[in-house]
Amino acid sequence: MILIFRISELFEDVGEFGDGYRLTESVKRRSHLWFGPKGTCTQLHYDLTNNMLVQVYGRKKLTLIPAFQVPHLYNDTHVYSATDFPEIDVKRFPKMKKVTAIDVILNPGGAVFIPIGWWHCVGSLDVSISVSFTDFNINNDFFVNFPRVMQ
């Protein structure tokens, strides 16, 4: 049996968040499919767009840190922290003790909005499939002029 899967059908299955929130003409170039095994993790970082993350299959744990806590997060390279969050060496990174994180478990069918500049890391608790959307009906391309290397 051959299974043919088209990503555009997945985007159609997720649907809209509400009238006028997304630019439907850009869904194919401003959307991302995330697929990985249990234990897949992204390191602590922030995005240069607002994001809506929708869980399709499996579960993920998101740790979110509001943007106003940036002075404590040791921005190192581009949009990443120098820390090994959540395993923090507080002797090397003492300001991290002041960080208050918000943990969220994202189940299938669930969604979370991640505002631009909010720091986060994501871990797959199971084999996981997620879709993220950045095609909002607002200016959401702050990555265009952002430097790739932090000075």
Side-chain angles (χ1 to χ4, degrees), residues 25-108:
E25 65 274 5
S26 65
V27 68
K28 292 179 183 172
R29 60 184 167 82
R30 297 291 302 269
S31 302
H32 309 279
L33 176 69
W34 308 97
F35 176 77
K38 178 180 180 177
T40 301
C41 294
T42 61
Q43 75 183 81
L44 186 61
H45 70 285
Y46 60 94
D47 294 325
L48 299 171
T49 57
N50 294 293
N51 290 280
M52 179 69 76
L53 181 63
V54 178
Q55 191 65 17
V56 177
Y57 183 84
R59 298 171 300 137
K60 283 190 171 172
K61 178 182 177 185
L62 282 80
T63 300
L64 302 162
I65 301 171
F68 67 83
Q69 295 186 43
V70 73
H72 313 301
L73 295 170
Y74 298 91
N75 197 168
D76 181 43
T77 303
H78 191 43
V79 296
Y80 297 97
S81 174
T83 66
D84 289 327
F85 190 85
E87 305 300 322
I88 306 294
D89 179 348
V90 291
K91 288 183 181 175
R92 280 185 60 206
F93 305 108
K95 292 186 280 182
M96 288 294 291
K97 290 188 275 188
K98 297 179 181 179
V99 170
T100 302
I102 303 164
D103 289 326
V104 176
I105 303 297
L106 198 55
N107 294 301

